[in-house]
Amino acid sequence: GVQSDLKMRGSTFNGVLLLLDGARINDPYTGHFLMDLPVPLSEVARVEVLHGPATALYGPDALGGVVHLITKTALRSGRRAKARLSGRVDGRYGTHALYDAGGAVRYAGTRTTGSAAATVQGSDGQTVTADGAPLTYDDGAQVRTDFQRRSATAAVAHSMDDATLYTRAGVDDREFGAYQYYTNFSTDRAREATSTFWLQSRLASAGDTDTPWRVQLFGKQHRDRYTYNSASGANRHISRRLRAQGQVAHKWGRVRVIGGASAGLRGLDSNRDGFRSDPSAGVFVSLRWRTTPRLTINQSTRLSYDPTYDVEPTPQLYLAYDLGAATLRAGGGRVVRAPNYVERYIDSPTNRGNDDLTAETAWSGEVGVDVRLPANLSLSATGFHRTTDNAIDYALQTPASGPDFFQAQNLDRTTTTGLETELSLDRRLGAVGLTLNAAYTLLDATLDAAAPPSAYKYGLNSARHYVKGSASLRAGLVTLGLQGRWRVRLRDAPLATDRYGVVHGRVAYTKRLSGARTALSLELRNALDRQYSEVFDAPMPGRTVLVGASVRL
């Protein structure tokens, strides 16, 4: 998890929008830093996932969808009857000296809630091999998948008579071996260190009101130090984003109208890619019309400004029809994504940007059904199709003289068609609680470009078949969990494992001791010790055993 990309519906990692308490956290330099989260996961209360285009409501870049992380303190609204103090500490230790320890404290008063949390993680990692032999640096030390990460955050929410003020600050620092994270060249001995600072403040209407509103200001600074090998020297990049946004809603009968605007600045200061700065802005209006007790229509339109594409409209229309035990839905819309700074300006021996890139634009549509059955059984299925013009990818260049490199280019057109299905069951069988979840995604994609599909880095790196499932069995004080996934890529990828399956297991024993909820756990990750990679030949973790304990007050 030291560097995690998000992909949805065949998009690249640059096509997913990530929000933290309603604020855009995407980095303007590269989508590879998307999950450099400035909050420990223990602070996250829930995760909302929106599949499909969402540019009209949330702004550009949401080709595949939106992931919204909502923290516990951000949910505070209104007064409470009495104050409460709570806390937790937890830790895990396992294979390859893998450690993960953290703690959090939270005070919920009658008007004010405050929280603080921190976590530290690290591992000696696995030895990286090629052709059966360990890889080494110039000094003879072995190349490993080692890492260290530290994250901390603090937040406060204060409820006034008619509004709630919420503020959060967070930091994240990590250093790790980055072998073949960005290239597949034999000279790669990369190491990387990143640092994130996050600050946001939001003022929102409190309680039930006919006209709810909120305004928010947030900023992010991200530092990156990347060393490809000892001969190349370190590249240092500092990216920044500052953004303000606001929205207001009102309901007239069966129609609810939301309107809003946003504006921001993003910038880059890099010893390799130069000094850059760009403004952006947008306005939107959204109407939710419940035409009948069964039919709901959602229509949204946004006008976005960015120097890379001037002004772009992104309309969307979705309909839902409630049949009682089932809901039918259909809709679609347009989405736009500006090239980021890496795609425009990177200038390294292995990857080169293109300042002439144009923005990606796409039309997407879908139809689906959600079915609710007795015994807490639910089923959903969605078919979708997306056509993208000027999709951005990196094409392998093999010059007659000099080493190979990847060049950022606009593809003519890409088309993506897929089917998503999901099944969930949550019920009790006597004294035993059972939760089952299963999902299957079928995906097909084509590229229209100057070079053959095999020459591109990311365009066909998604899964044609993706199966995942989990099962949880709760009996008394013991919980057993099992997770698994199976993935077959769209093509036989010479740069990453074309197909693989992994299985994880966990058993936990939980008991209250002196008023504290105490849990002991044993985890087995990648139980079958499957050797695989997600990008190029960067190895993913092998079999890992973890023992852990946690105490909650």
Side-chain angles (χ1 to χ4, degrees):
V2 292
Q3 183 165 288
S4 301
D5 295 340
L6 296 182
K7 299 177 65 177
M8 294 172 64
R9 290 192 172 180
S11 71
T12 69
F13 57 90
N14 284 307
V16 176
L17 179 60
L18 181 65
L19 304 176
L20 177 61
D21 294 330
R24 169 188 293 260
I25 203 170
N26 296 58
D27 194 85
Y29 186 58
T30 174
H32 285 304
F33 300 147
L34 184 63
M35 290 297 288
D36 283 13
L37 296 178
V39 295
L41 290 180
S42 62
E43 277 292 278
V44 177
R46 70 172 183 258
V47 180
E48 297 179 349
V49 180
L50 176 62
H51 295 261
T55 294
L57 283 178
Y58 299 105
D61 303 336
L63 280 84
V66 176
V67 177
H68 190 185
L69 307 178
I70 302 173
T71 63
K72 299 171 183 176
T73 305
L75 293 173
R76 172 69 190 248
S77 180
R79 298 187 184 184
R80 300 194 177 186
K82 60 181 181 178
R84 182 176 183 270
L85 180 66
S86 60
R88 62 170 289 172
V89 292
D90 55 70
R92 292 179 291 180
Y93 188 82
T95 312
H96 302 301
L98 175 62
Y99 64 89
D100 181 356
V105 61
R106 175 180 175 85
Y107 172 77
T110 56
R111 280 181 172 264
T112 303
T113 293
S115 65
T119 185
V120 291
Q121 300 167 319
S123 172
D124 293 343
Q126 305 166 194
T127 300
V128 178
T129 61
D131 298 326
L135 293 178
T136 60
Y137 297 107
D138 289 345
D139 61 2
Q142 291 184 347
V143 178
R144 301 184 66 87
T145 60
D146 61 298
F147 76 94
Q148 291 183 339
R149 182 198 176 215
R150 299 161 295 277
S151 179
T153 187
V156 62
H158 179 70
S159 296
M160 298 173 283
D161 291 337
D162 56 358
T164 299
L165 178 64
Y166 163 70
T167 301
R168 177 176 294 280
V171 294
D172 178 273
D173 292 289
R174 55 186 76 190
E175 183 176 356
F176 49 93
Y179 169 77
Q180 293 218 352
Y181 276 29
Y182 310 112
T183 79
N184 65 323
F185 303 130
S186 60
T187 52
D188 191 336
R189 297 293 185 274
R191 292 198 63 83
E192 192 163 11
T194 65
S195 177
T196 304
F197 175 73
W198 173 263
L199 182 64
Q200 70 182 117
S201 188
R202 181 181 71 198
L203 185 65
S205 58
D208 294 331
T209 175
D210 293 335
T211 309
W213 55 269
R214 69 170 181 253
V215 292
Q216 184 161 222
L217 178 67
F218 52 94
K220 174 184 176 181
Q221 176 177 279
H222 189 278
R223 293 176 177 268
D224 172 52
R225 183 184 75 244
Y226 177 78
T227 306
Y228 177 71
N229 57 32
S230 59
S232 65
N235 292 302
R236 303 174 187 271
H237 322 286
I238 303 175
S239 60
R240 300 181 177 92
R241 182 187 293 278
L242 179 65
R243 195 170 183 87
Q245 62 189 38
Q247 69 178 54
V248 61
H250 191 76
K251 187 175 182 180
W252 287 277
R254 294 182 177 179
V255 179
R256 178 181 174 87
V257 180
I258 305 175
S262 62
L265 291 171
R266 63 181 186 270
L268 172 69
D269 187 354
S270 168
N271 68 329
R272 183 191 65 194
D273 303 331
F275 180 82
R276 317 288 177 181
S277 180
D278 294 292
S280 63
V283 295
F284 79 92
V285 62
S286 176
L287 288 82
R288 179 183 175 90
W289 181 22
R290 192 167 186 178
T291 59
T292 72
R294 293 184 179 273
L295 177 63
T296 302
I297 300 175
N298 289 274
Q299 198 285 323
S300 304
T301 300
R302 185 182 187 92
L303 289 177
S304 298
Y305 166 78
D306 190 280
T308 61
Y309 55 71
D310 293 327
V311 177
E312 285 280 359
T314 50
Q316 293 176 197
L317 177 65
Y318 284 88
L319 300 90
Y321 192 81
D322 187 1
L323 295 174
T327 300
L328 305 178
R329 45 187 169 77
R334 188 174 187 267
V335 65
V336 60
R337 182 183 81 83
N340 58 41
Y341 286 130
V342 162
E343 293 167 330
R344 294 166 65 187
Y345 300 118
I346 186 173
D347 186 11
S348 75
T350 57
N351 292 279
R352 298 181 188 177
N354 182 355
D355 195 21
D356 294 327
L357 290 174
T358 59
E360 296 182 354
T361 58
W363 284 98
S364 180
E366 65 179 72
V367 294
V369 59
D370 302 313
V371 181
R372 298 169 295 278
L373 300 174
N376 292 327
L377 178 65
S378 62
L379 170 68
S380 67
T382 305
F384 61 90
H385 178 82
R386 182 176 68 248
T387 300
T388 306
D389 292 320
N390 300 314
I392 300 170
D393 207 336
Y394 290 83
L396 181 64
Q397 308 294 314
T398 55
S401 60
D404 296 349
F405 62 92
F406 287 97
Q407 173 81 52
Q409 295 181 358
N410 283 114
L411 284 65
D412 294 333
R413 173 168 290 187
T414 66
T415 58
T416 306
T417 303
L419 173 67
E420 297 171 333
T421 61
E422 186 170 0
L423 176 69
S424 64
L425 172 68
D426 189 359
R427 63 180 304 179
R428 294 199 65 84
L429 303 173
V432 176
L434 177 64
T435 301
L436 299 175
N437 289 281
Y440 169 68
T441 300
L442 172 66
L443 192 72
D444 186 43
T446 60
L447 306 183
D448 294 333
S454 59
Y456 291 93
K457 263 191 183 184
Y458 305 115
L460 291 181
N461 202 32
S462 296
R464 181 182 300 279
H465 302 285
Y466 186 37
V467 181
K468 61 180 179 178
S470 65
S472 177
L473 192 67
R474 304 173 299 280
L477 303 179
V478 178
T479 301
L480 299 175
L482 189 67
Q483 293 180 335
R485 56 191 171 109
W486 172 259
R487 173 173 175 155
V488 179
R489 294 185 189 273
L490 282 165
R491 58 181 171 89
D492 291 339
L495 306 180
T497 311
D498 62 341
R499 62 185 64 204
Y500 65 86
V502 291
V503 178
H504 314 293
R506 183 177 186 270
V507 57
Y509 175 82
T510 305
K511 186 176 178 61
R512 282 201 169 273
L513 299 174
S514 301
R517 185 172 181 267
T518 304
L520 302 177
S521 64
L522 174 66
E523 293 181 55
L524 182 60
R525 300 181 182 174
N526 194 356
L528 303 179
D529 199 24
R530 180 72 166 93
Q531 304 301 304
Y532 69 104
S533 60
E534 289 280 9
V535 292
F536 301 115
D537 285 326
M540 294 292 283
R543 182 184 294 120
T544 303
V545 180
L546 283 169
V547 293
S550 67
V551 178
R552 298 184 184 183
L553 300 173

